[in-house]
Amino acid sequence: MNLIDVFNGDADGLCALHQLRLADPADSALITGPKRDISLLKRAQVRSGDRVTVLDIALSKNRDALDRILAAGASVRYFDHHQPGDIPVQGRHLPWAVAAAFGDNLAEAARRAAAPLNLSVEQLAQLQSLGECLNYNGYGETLDDLFYDPAELYRQMRPFADPFAFIAESAAYRTLKAGYQEDMARAVAVDATDARAAGRIFMLPAEKWARRISGVFGNQLAVESPAQAHAVLTAKSGGGHVVSVRAPLVTKSGADELCSQFDTGGGRKGAAGINHLPDADVGRFIARFFEIYQ
């Protein structure tokens, strides 16, 4: 019997796997990739009796591969929060869950979840930084854009039941924090391409730093101006753009509606994206953005 863990390479994918294996230790094969590489189940080669755990990957994008795995006789545990329904309340390894929520730009939910921990302001800020850095590492067009393959980053997290020990002792965290600060400084120096009362659009160049910072830059913009919608279009080296959309935090709606109108687009109401927006569709995207957010 083989154990296979399949997980998104962003903060909630990493922290979900870490919490699971802290509670249920096991050696497993890891399948992961950059945040936008969500069709991961197709890489799982299984036999009857194998056990597959899937974390933070949209089932709708992996249904065919899931059917194949089940037909082969493997068992699957699937955790997908994109359309979660009722979620049972749990409290094991809660500080890691708080970091994950911060990384997914769910700051208020993170603070509510952290209430039983009685953390200081400084400790809460540390978990926020950790979540943001883990999430930041998940963005990029390929693994070569990232500071760490998410599988390697997870292996570095694995010895630490306490996230504060990871923050204090991990060279990986220091590398990510420095990279995050440097890339964000470049991003905030870029002026909006189109700025209106309802929202702003930013266009970043086809460079590694821009591909890494695109998603977390959108999160920061949303926090800074919660009444506005934001879109970050990052140029791809071969043409076209990767798009990150953040709905206004005061409404958290419309992002999925906007992005689903374009091929390779999807996401949640509050945060969505498009994996490849052709150059010819940029004008149409901007027009639809300001029709939805006005």
Side-chain angles (χ1 to χ4, degrees):
M1 179 191 72
N2 295 314
L3 297 180
I4 303 172
D5 289 332
V6 186
F7 64 102
N8 200 335
D10 65 355
D12 39 345
L14 282 161
C15 291
L17 178 59
H18 191 41
Q19 290 174 84
L20 173 65
R21 291 305 173 209
L22 284 171
D24 182 18
D27 290 324
S28 60
L30 303 179
I31 297 177
T32 186
K35 180 181 177 68
R36 292 182 183 275
D37 184 2
I38 56 175
S39 298
L40 294 173
L41 267 188
K42 65 185 179 183
R43 289 164 46 189
Q45 300 302 314
V46 302
R47 297 176 295 183
S48 179
D50 288 351
R51 293 168 54 190
V52 181
T53 299
V54 188
L55 300 155
D56 189 37
I57 299 169
L59 191 151
S60 61
K61 303 293 186 181
N62 289 270
R63 182 57 186 268
D64 290 345
L66 176 60
D67 290 342
R68 171 183 59 79
I69 289 169
L70 293 173
S75 63
V76 180
R77 292 189 299 175
Y78 210 118
F79 299 87
D80 177 14
H81 74 107
H82 296 88
Q83 293 182 339
D86 294 328
I87 302 175
V89 177
Q90 297 182 0
R92 298 183 69 182
H93 309 295
L94 182 57
W96 283 105
V98 172
F102 274 125
D104 213 23
N105 206 34
L106 302 173
E108 288 305 314
R111 293 186 182 97
R112 289 195 300 270
L117 299 173
N118 296 316
L119 300 175
S120 67
V121 173
E122 180 183 0
Q123 287 175 313
L124 202 59
Q126 286 180 311
L127 290 182
Q128 180 168 359
S129 176
L130 173 60
E132 289 171 346
C133 287
L134 294 176
N135 208 48
Y136 157 75
N137 186 73
Y139 284 92
E141 192 168 346
T142 67
L143 288 174
D144 186 58
D145 288 339
L146 312 184
F147 281 97
Y148 295 96
D149 184 315
E152 173 57 27
L153 183 55
Y154 166 69
R155 293 186 185 101
Q156 298 208 31
M157 294 165 58
R158 187 171 180 174
F160 294 92
D162 180 2
F164 295 107
F166 180 78
I167 290 169
E169 301 173 24
S170 170
Y173 174 68
R174 292 193 293 274
T175 296
L176 291 177
K177 187 173 182 180
Y180 177 95
Q181 292 171 338
E182 181 178 343
D183 289 351
M184 185 62 77
R186 292 180 175 182
V188 298
V190 176
D191 293 328
T193 301
D194 198 333
R196 308 182 194 180
R200 294 181 291 174
I201 292 176
F202 292 80
M203 302 190 75
L204 301 182
E207 298 183 22
K208 280 188 176 184
W209 71 264
R211 294 192 290 270
R212 286 194 299 261
I213 206 66
S214 60
V216 290
F217 180 45
N219 290 345
Q220 177 163 310
L221 292 169
V223 170
E224 289 176 351
S225 185
Q228 288 184 300
H230 294 91
V232 179
L233 282 67
T234 306
K236 302 175 73 172
S237 56
H241 297 77
V242 173
V243 181
S244 291
V245 175
R246 299 294 181 266
L249 289 181
V250 296
T251 61
K252 294 183 180 178
S253 65
D256 57 341
E257 176 189 353
L258 170 62
C259 292
S260 64
Q261 297 178 33
F262 298 84
D263 291 341
T264 75
R268 308 193 304 272
K269 292 181 180 298
I274 303 170
N275 287 342
H276 179 76
L277 181 71
D279 293 328
D281 285 341
V282 170
R284 181 165 69 94
F285 171 82
I286 294 174
R288 290 296 296 129
F289 178 88
F290 285 112
E291 287 174 9
I292 291 175
Y293 300 113
Q294 55 182 308

